[in-house]
Amino acid sequence: FYDLALTAPGMFEGSGAPSQTTEFQSPTAYGSATNENVFLINGVDATSPRAGSFGALVNVNYDSVEEVRIVATGSKAEYASFSGAAIDVSTKSGSNVFHGTGSCYSKLGSPASNQPDLNEDWGTDFLFVGEGEALSGETKTDYEWSGTVGGPITKDKLWFFGAFNYLRSAGLRPRWSLENESWGRYADGKLTAAPFTNHRVWGSYHYESNDGN
């Protein structure tokens, strides 16, 4: 939802992104610093405890996003503790019709290698490539699976919606013989009910696990 937030007027991409691949740089809102934003998922504060500049603490399936609201000056009392913008993400609910999505993203084929040749001419004697030295990285694995499903439990009364993501990447860093591997999985579930006319209640659950070596 970071890309969606950047489409709003006054929002700009922040600089100096965090080093961890599971974190994203908070945007600059209306000229404020990146650490002056707050992030809410279905109304719950999900701002990273390290600082607002590290964005949201949790990941959200892109296909499960219903709406992204950018709340700035003149906000209601329910929004607080920010001087930049409150980025409020609402996720989808189920409906009376079953629906879902599925996708897979991966790098096909082998990327071109930037490894210089052993006897390549660098224009000077003190620059050279030693035998067996790996000066370029190599991607071994890189893919993401994603899916959503929603529908009725009891038509016109109770609906469900769920989403999941699984990511995995592995590769070799320059001048490093050990394979660097990371993986992550996160899922969301949401139940929505209409106990009375013109009234709806919902409850949601988020699961996330990221690891690597």
Side-chain angles (χ1 to χ4, degrees), residues 182-208:
S182 64
W183 53 90
R185 47 190 176 272
Y186 49 96
D188 290 274
K190 189 174 185 180
L191 288 176
T192 307
F196 310 106
T197 304
N198 298 327
H199 290 80
R200 286 198 176 191
V201 295
W202 57 265
S204 63
Y205 176 78
H206 177 81
Y207 167 82
E208 186 164 346

Side-chain angles (χ1 to χ4, degrees), residues 42-54:
N42 290 325
V44 178
D45 191 343
T47 309
S48 174
R50 296 177 63 181
S53 58
F54 285 84

Side-chain angles (χ1 to χ4, degrees), residues 167-178:
L167 308 88
R168 194 175 189 90
S169 64
L172 295 174
R173 294 182 177 181
R175 301 182 61 83
W176 191 253
S177 60
L178 297 179

Side-chain angles (χ1 to χ4, degrees), residues 25-200:
Q25 176 67 39
S26 177
T28 296
Y30 311 102
S32 64
T34 57
N35 62 350
E36 295 174 341
N37 303 321
V38 294
F39 295 83
L40 301 101
I41 310 296
N42 290 325
V44 178
D45 191 343
T47 309
S48 174
R50 296 177 63 181
S53 58
F54 285 84
L57 181 64
V58 300
N59 293 292
V60 178
N61 184 297
Y62 192 88
D63 292 326
S64 70
V65 175
E66 176 73 23
E67 180 184 29
V68 178
R69 299 182 61 209
I70 309 299
V71 183
T73 56
S75 61
K76 298 180 181 179
E78 62 185 285
Y79 301 98
S81 303
F82 74 94
S83 55
I87 301 173
D88 191 358
V89 180
S90 299
T91 59
K92 295 178 181 178
S93 298
S95 66
N96 283 332
V97 178
F98 286 101
H99 56 89
T101 62
S103 57
C104 177
Y105 305 94
S106 180
K107 293 180 179 179
L108 300 177
S110 300
S113 175
N114 293 323
Q115 173 69 21
D117 295 330
L118 183 62
N119 298 318
E120 187 168 337
D121 184 11
W122 293 86
T124 182
D125 294 336
F126 66 85
L127 291 177
F128 62 92
V129 179
E131 185 174 359
E133 288 188 337
L135 301 183
S136 67
E138 180 183 357
T139 300
K140 298 287 189 180
T141 303
D142 190 3
Y143 63 84
E144 175 182 356
W145 293 92
S146 172
T148 66
V149 62
I153 298 177
T154 302
K155 283 192 174 183
D156 300 322
K157 287 294 183 180
L158 183 63
W159 307 269
F160 76 94
F161 186 85
F164 76 94
N165 280 72
Y166 181 76
L167 308 88
R168 194 175 189 90
S169 64
L172 295 174
R173 294 182 177 181
R175 301 182 61 83
W176 191 253
S177 60
L178 297 179
E179 187 172 294
N180 182 49
E181 187 176 18
S182 64
W183 53 90
R185 47 190 176 272
Y186 49 96
D188 290 274
K190 189 174 185 180
L191 288 176
T192 307
F196 310 106
T197 304
N198 298 327
H199 290 80
R200 286 198 176 191

